[in-house]
Amino acid sequence: AVNPEDGVIHSAVVTARNADGTIKVRWDDPRGGPATADVAPEEMRRIVLTAETLAIGERYSGVVQVSGAFGAFVLVGDQVECIVPMSMIPDDTVLEAGQRVEARLVAKPRRGRPVLTMFEGELGALRRGEAVARRFAEVSPNDWHDAVVTGIKRYGIFVKVTLADGSAANGMVHISEIKEGKVECIQDEAEVGQSVKVRVLEVSDGKISLSFRAQIVAAPEGDYEQPDFTPFQGLSSDQWLKGKVARVASFGAFVDVTSPDGGSSAEGLVHVTAIREGFTGSASEALEVGQEVSVRVLSVDVDNGSMGLSMKEETEDLWQTRKPGER
């Protein structure tokens, strides 16, 4: 649109149609931040947006097509479908289909949808989201964390969860993870602002899946003596060990690992996000009881008797932008 101050055409976003027939537009003025003006239709030139013409750092207006635990798909222009990951949506914002939003482009992957953020001026949001996702992927699904309910939808409850070290992120408790048995009315289960306890089930494609339910693990028969995890302390994260899958759950697989000297063994957890490259919906898709595998030790907690493992190469990146259903 033509800026009435300098007569030069600038990239702008339409924000409203005025009663007198003019159009209110907004653009980022490099001299002083956002600026608005009323322009006549003949002073505007419509730009046909494509994925190739989108520019990183620019703000775009779009309409929410679908929202869910992953975030939201937003249609920019007539044909460019972008994704706003949950980690890039403010805590107090719940997006609905048909809602018009403004967001800034932060990534244009060679494969997958362009990535938007709703944080004002946050071009570093992608890197922060990457670090937060990595931190949450490291926690055990056995651990409970403080959270506050931020929104309730028919399919789940949105919360902001905070780890003991202060790391915080938005996540969702799917309706199937709210409690044992059927949920008749999800609004009866929680309310916005309520403090709750959650477990981290999975971190995938910018989405953090949580649970209100206690983890049910069958206790071994007879006397049980907690394994000694001391031989696994201090091992380099690039050292590979032999193991055998002992149990498989949706969130990961428990693997019986032998220490480097062969003198002892202990059971550790390979979280579903650490099994392989590519999306894995459940550990049972990739592993089965009795299968022999190679693992790396990521963390050891001798006092609590737990060990975090990975079957992926150390150099593999956690954050890659993909379509939902891919990893």
Side-chain angles (χ1 to χ4, degrees):
V2 176
N3 186 335
E5 292 185 0
D6 58 17
V8 178
I9 293 179
H10 298 274
S11 296
V13 175
V14 174
T15 59
R17 295 182 182 275
N18 301 320
D20 61 1
T22 60
I23 308 295
K24 184 174 290 295
V25 299
R26 183 188 59 75
W27 54 71
D28 289 333
D29 187 337
R31 296 170 300 177
T36 61
D38 296 327
V39 298
E42 59 269 21
E43 295 178 321
M44 299 174 59
R45 185 173 63 196
R46 188 168 182 268
I47 300 174
V48 178
L49 294 174
T50 66
E52 290 71 28
T53 59
L54 295 182
I56 291 179
E58 291 294 323
R59 291 187 66 82
Y60 296 97
S61 176
V63 177
V64 176
Q65 303 297 294
V66 180
S67 64
F70 62 89
F73 293 141
V74 175
L75 186 65
V76 174
D78 295 329
Q79 57 183 334
V80 186
E81 188 175 65
C82 303
I83 184 172
V84 186
M86 180 60 70
S87 61
M88 298 189 190
I89 299 175
D91 298 339
D92 57 354
T93 302
V94 177
L95 300 182
E96 302 279 358
Q99 179 180 349
R100 179 165 289 278
V101 298
E102 289 192 11
R104 192 180 298 273
L105 186 72
V106 292
K108 291 174 60 177
R110 286 177 294 179
R111 287 175 41 186
R113 297 171 174 84
V115 182
L116 301 172
T117 178
M118 294 184 66
F119 289 101
E120 184 65 31
E122 294 291 342
L123 294 183
L126 189 61
R127 286 297 177 187
R128 285 200 301 280
E130 178 181 326
V132 170
R134 182 178 291 111
R135 178 66 189 94
F136 274 77
E138 293 172 349
V139 304
S140 168
N142 300 314
D143 298 338
W144 291 94
H145 309 283
D146 294 325
V148 176
V149 176
T150 58
I152 301 176
K153 306 280 280 187
R154 59 179 177 79
Y155 49 81
I157 296 174
F158 292 88
V159 304
K160 181 177 182 180
V161 57
T162 304
L163 304 183
D165 64 1
S167 300
N170 296 319
M172 190 192 78
V173 180
H174 189 267
I175 191 170
S176 63
E177 291 293 337
I178 291 176
K179 67 179 183 180
E180 293 297 322
K182 184 179 180 180
V183 174
E184 298 292 345
C185 179
I186 194 169
Q187 283 77 15
D188 293 340
E189 303 299 329
E191 60 183 21
V192 174
Q194 179 180 347
S195 296
V196 294
K197 290 284 189 179
V198 297
R199 294 187 298 109
V200 177
L201 298 182
E202 181 181 6
V203 179
S204 177
D205 200 24
K207 175 184 72 175
I208 300 177
S209 299
L210 307 166
S211 178
F212 287 162
R213 297 167 54 181
Q215 182 174 335
I216 302 175
V217 179
E221 298 181 359
D223 296 333
Y224 175 71
E225 182 179 347
Q226 180 170 301
D228 180 15
F229 288 88
T230 305
F232 299 92
Q233 281 188 306
L235 295 181
S236 173
S237 61
D238 61 2
Q239 182 173 354
W240 291 93
L241 304 176
K242 295 295 183 181
K244 181 177 291 187
V245 178
R247 289 177 288 138
V248 177
S250 61
F251 54 82
F254 293 90
V255 177
D256 190 29
V257 186
T258 302
S259 61
D261 61 8
S264 59
S265 64
E267 194 174 272
L269 173 66
V270 180
H271 193 266
V272 68
T273 58
I275 291 177
R276 64 183 180 185
E277 270 299 291
F279 175 75
T280 304
S282 173
S284 60
E285 297 177 9
L287 299 171
E288 59 184 20
V289 174
Q291 181 176 343
E292 294 185 351
V293 295
S294 294
V295 297
R296 297 183 296 108
V297 176
L298 299 181
S299 61
V300 178
D301 188 337
V302 175
D303 295 333
N304 294 316
S306 65
M307 178 165 58
L309 308 171
S310 175
M311 293 171 57
K312 294 168 62 176
E313 294 287 346
E314 187 174 18
T315 57
E316 291 173 355
D317 294 329
L318 174 64
W319 176 274
Q320 294 184 25
T321 304
R322 303 174 175 85
K323 299 179 181 179
E326 295 182 348
R327 194 183 136 75

